[in-house]
Amino acid sequence: QIVPIQVSLDEVQRRIWCIGGQRGWYSMNWAWKLRGLIDQLVGGTGLNRGRRHPTQIEAGDSIDFWRVLLADEAKMHLILYAEMKLPGEAWLEF
């Protein structure tokens, strides 16, 4: 399904660069919180790590239970790697 975006690309990127931490996640925030709780129950970090800064992201930063692998604002490219407990690997790319 294609859903048209009603804001500029710069605004989309600004919002993406603010995900996690105190702001939370833009879709199904309750599910991310539940996943964080489950992660803590099995010995992971859960959502406790938060963020280093509310709007700035750099490679190596942690955002909740994600590790930032790439944060290129000029190219509008963000890649996160899951450090939560799970079978296999998980990546989140914007």
Side-chain angles (χ1 to χ4, degrees):
Q1 179 181 13
I2 297 173
V3 178
I5 297 173
Q6 302 297 320
V7 296
S8 69
L9 282 177
D10 288 337
E11 179 63 14
V12 170
Q13 180 181 357
R14 187 191 69 73
R15 292 180 187 185
I16 289 171
W17 249 245
C18 293
I19 59 174
Q22 292 295 319
R23 180 174 296 248
W25 299 81
Y26 293 110
S27 178
M28 295 176 50
N29 196 46
W30 64 269
W32 289 106
K33 288 180 181 181
L34 178 62
R35 183 59 180 96
L37 177 63
I38 292 168
D39 190 53
Q40 280 184 313
L41 291 173
V42 296
T45 61
L47 298 178
N48 289 338
R49 292 190 308 188
R51 296 179 53 119
R52 173 186 60 82
H53 190 277
T55 61
Q56 297 173 1
I57 301 175
E58 297 177 6
D61 284 355
S62 64
I63 299 177
D64 300 332
F65 44 61
W66 298 94
R67 177 68 54 191
V68 178
L69 297 182
L70 175 74
D72 188 335
E73 284 190 80
K75 294 182 180 177
M76 298 183 179
H77 196 185
L78 178 64
I79 301 175
L80 306 176
Y81 174 75
E83 292 184 325
M84 65 188 104
K85 302 281 186 177
L86 53 96
E89 296 181 343
W91 304 75
L92 187 56
E93 184 172 5
F94 296 95

